Amino acid sequence: MEKSFLKQQYLEYSAMPQKILVLASQDAGWDIVEANVEGHECFFCSYYLIGQLPELIGQQIIDDYDACLLVDFKASMPLYNDVIQRVSQKIPLLLGVGFEGELPSKLSYLMENSFMLSELTAEFLRQRVDNVVGSYSRVGVSCG
């Protein structure tokens, strides 16, 4: 009986919408995500520019999210490596890049959670978020 209860809880959790914090260096970065997840109820996405990240951390806004999706890496992104690392200690990170060469070497630890933006669909993002959230909690990383 307990096993079926746990299975039911898992099914209910997996059906719940995920809250995803989307960070981009410019407004165009959000367009890719919005176009590919629009109309799908499996996500609540909030969009911010990368420069707003220190404020989001300071006000503990990121604590309300299940995962963070970084998109459209540009030259300005490495300026925020430290603050991005602080986010990764609170919530799991996903990284969407247009080209493999756009992944800064200092953030290479994110490579396993990166993907090409051309592959982005709502279902693909759902699976990636489920995987990264699951593996994040399994390794015993504190989420807050």
Side-chain angles (χ1 to χ4, degrees):
M1 183 168 153
E2 185 177 322
K3 206 172 202 178
S4 63
F5 174 73
L6 292 174
K7 183 177 180 182
Q8 180 63 31
Q9 278 197 314
Y10 173 77
L11 291 173
E12 287 175 11
Y13 171 77
S14 63
M16 289 172 56
Q18 300 278 4
K19 291 183 69 177
I20 302 175
L21 174 65
V22 179
L23 295 171
S25 62
Q26 56 185 347
D27 290 328
W30 167 242
D31 296 344
I32 297 167
V33 177
E34 185 179 40
N36 289 298
V37 301
E38 189 175 17
H40 293 266
E41 294 181 8
C42 59
F43 299 110
F44 291 125
C45 295
S46 298
Y47 164 74
Y48 295 92
L49 292 175
I50 192 78
Q52 296 169 289
L53 192 49
E55 183 179 340
L56 298 177
I57 291 172
Q59 295 182 11
Q60 297 179 326
I61 293 172
I62 62 167
D63 296 344
D64 296 334
Y65 291 90
D66 298 310
C68 178
L69 172 60
L70 300 169
V71 296
D72 79 327
F73 264 88
K74 301 290 183 229
S76 62
M77 288 285 198
L79 298 174
Y80 298 98
N81 281 350
D82 291 343
V83 75
I84 289 170
Q85 193 153 14
R86 284 178 54 202
V87 170
S88 73
Q89 293 167 354
K90 291 182 170 285
I91 58 175
L93 291 173
L94 293 168
L95 180 64
V97 295
F99 304 99
E100 292 291 337
E102 292 180 349
L103 185 65
S105 59
K106 287 188 177 179
L107 293 175
S108 60
Y109 67 94
L110 291 174
M111 193 55 139
E112 64 190 43
N113 294 327
S114 68
F115 60 90
M116 304 301 285
L117 287 171
S118 58
E119 300 171 357
L120 183 64
T121 64
E123 183 56 32
F124 178 83
L125 184 57
R126 171 88 185 205
Q127 289 173 354
R128 292 306 298 256
V129 169
D130 285 346
N131 288 344
V132 75
V133 169
S135 64
Y136 191 85
S137 59
R138 275 199 304 272
V139 295
V141 177
S142 171
C143 293

